[in-house]
Amino acid sequence: MIKLETVLRILKNDQNFRQILHQGHYFYNWPDEEVFHQISYDSRKVDEKTLFFVKGAQFKREFLETAITQGLRFYIAETDYEVGIPAIVVTDIKQAMSLIAMEFYGNPQDKLKLLAFTGTKGKTTAAYFAYSILTQSHKPAMLSTMNTTLDGQTFFKSTLTTPESIDLFAMMAEAVANGRTHLIMEVSSQAYLVKRVYGLTFDVGVFLNISPDHIGPIEHPSFEDYFYHKRLLMKHSRAVILNSGMDHFQVVKDQVLDMPHDIYGPHSDNRILNSHAFSFEASGILAGHYDIQLIGQFNQENAIAAGLACLRLGASLADVHTGIAATSVPGRMEVLTQTNGAKVFVDYAHNGDSVRKLLDVVLSYQTGQVILVLGAPGNKGESRRKDFGLLLNHYPNLQVILTADDPNREDPTAIAQEIQSYMERPSQIIIEREKAIHTAMSMTRSVADAVIIAGKGADCYQIINEAKAPYDGDLTIAKRYLS
């Protein structure tokens, strides 16, 4: 529960309080004592003891009116909707939500060691490495794009990379109640853009990489804005881990010079010395031999990043060795073998840089005919279409099948044709994703050949017209056509 008096104190301390408005009267304090037993941003989930937060560009006055019929007596908003109940007016509703949620749920962030990963790619893989490492001697919870667990036993799919603040602190509180000691999170640039983690300080923040992505009308207006919001994790962490191989590394390095930090990657003390398909040697703090299930040096570097972070959170070197060897990630570099010996790689790679790295890894092992199945989403990340088209010009021997990948409200054929407009090499369009996968797998002949299915990973849906339409999943479909 939380008192109205406490709510107002939090808002005033954050310089976020404007006034309470009720029937044309202004209040700096409220004359009566009020206690809230629930906080919510869903107008369908309220009662007389709920403090309701009005957020979102699509919010309508009638939502409030309906909530009032369910007993709602107070709400927080950036404007007074004049619906007959007191409005606590603030400058920034998202800031208010986050700080009030912290207090409402008993400040669970102070009872957990917090580890956050950011980067254009690799967040989920690195989070899984960290979860596996910390599981050896601790009791971690994990909030991940792929799976979330708050008890170490039950796993469920997350809707957002980083949950809305009220949901986030509710999950933290549940993790604390379940006896968890650490929390591993993926923190997206959007989480800082819309202030889902406002007021939160992480024990360790890890910056894996940066490349242009999530730039569009409903995301970031420019790369500058995207990069700035990524770097906010460094500002709000007690210690940081940085990849020396990332673009614009010097900017981030300069930002953290006066903070506790470790650097990994090329030209650093903590780097990969000998990279093989399923093992590598590391130098520096993590010096030694490591077995790994995920192929590709970028996955090995994600493992190093997670290892360095976990050492700062109480893991031992033995935990790091065992945890890295035990890590597998649904939809990340999963490998199948066809009856003719050809390999099928299923991976979540969904932007230009991650697809390039995926192609380079596979082509370093598979020397025959390689077929790529790829699409781009609708109504988000529009820049990926150009990135994919220009990238594929550098792989003239690659067979390319363009297909649907969460087209949403756009025409998937038009999306594929836009990718093609940047290509100076042949490709074909097969919009039905299962048919595209089947066609690609029917084109292999020998053990040297391979099919790469990129984009959806373990997702078992296609986003069409704002809804998740059932889809069997790339891995399940690929298994169907192995013979």
Side-chain angles (χ1 to χ4, degrees), residues 290-306:
Y290 292 83
D291 293 321
I292 189 169
Q293 298 182 43
L294 303 175
I295 69 170
Q297 186 161 333
F298 58 92
N299 281 321
Q300 295 168 4
E301 290 191 342
N302 288 335
I304 292 293

Side-chain angles (χ1 to χ4, degrees), residues 67 137 158 303 412 434:
S137 299
S158 300
E434 179 167 352

Side-chain angles (χ1 to χ4, degrees), residues 216-338:
I218 63 171
E219 296 178 282
H220 294 279
S222 65
F223 176 76
E224 181 278 329
D225 188 72
Y226 176 55
F227 185 32
Y228 167 75
H229 284 93
K230 283 288 189 191
R231 298 202 315 274
L232 287 177
L233 175 61
M234 305 298 95
K235 181 179 179 180
H236 298 289
S237 297
R238 296 185 177 93
V240 300
I241 313 294
L242 300 180
N243 179 2
S244 64
M246 68 186 290
D247 290 347
H248 310 290
F249 167 66
Q250 192 62 46
V251 176
V252 189
K253 181 182 177 184
D254 289 346
Q255 180 181 337
V256 307
L257 275 180
D258 296 328
M259 300 173 58
H261 65 274
D262 293 311
I263 296 172
Y264 71 98
H267 314 300
S268 75
D269 293 335
N270 304 297
R271 64 185 186 275
I272 307 297
L273 296 180
N274 294 298
S275 176
H276 303 286
F278 298 105
S279 67
F280 65 93
E281 307 283 335
S283 66
I285 298 171
L286 297 176
H289 173 89
Y290 292 83
D291 293 321
I292 189 169
Q293 298 182 43
L294 303 175
I295 69 170
Q297 186 161 333
F298 58 92
N299 281 321
Q300 295 168 4
E301 290 191 342
N302 288 335
I304 292 293
L308 290 170
C310 291
L311 282 183
R312 286 185 173 271
L313 295 172
S316 67
L317 279 172
D319 293 338
V320 176
H321 277 86
T322 304
I324 288 174
T327 302
S328 62
V329 187
R332 264 62 171 183
M333 287 302 286
E334 296 196 84
V335 185
L336 303 173
T337 303
Q338 294 182 252

Side-chain angles (χ1 to χ4, degrees), residues 22 25 37 45 51 64-65 77 101 113-114 126 147 210 217 251 282 331 336 355 392 414 431 433-434 462 468-469 479:
H22 183 44
H25 298 289
H37 293 275
K45 299 177 181 178
L51 178 59
L64 261 180
E65 292 171 339
K113 290 289 186 182
L114 303 180
N147 269 317
I210 187 75
V251 176
L336 303 173
V355 171
L392 294 173
I431 292 303
R433 194 171 178 94
E434 179 167 352
Q462 285 272 24
K468 291 183 176 180
K479 287 178 178 178

Side-chain angles (χ1 to χ4, degrees), residues 36 46 92 110 122 134-135 143 158 169 185-186 218 230 242 254 267-268 304 322 328 355 372 421 425 436 442:
F36 304 103
V46 300
D92 191 314
D110 296 335
L134 289 173
T135 297
L143 306 183
S158 300
F169 290 105
M185 288 180 58
E186 298 176 37
I218 63 171
K230 283 288 189 191
L242 300 180
D254 289 346
H267 314 300
S268 75
I304 292 293
T322 304
S328 62
V355 171
L372 172 67
S421 72
R425 39 136 317 134
S442 70

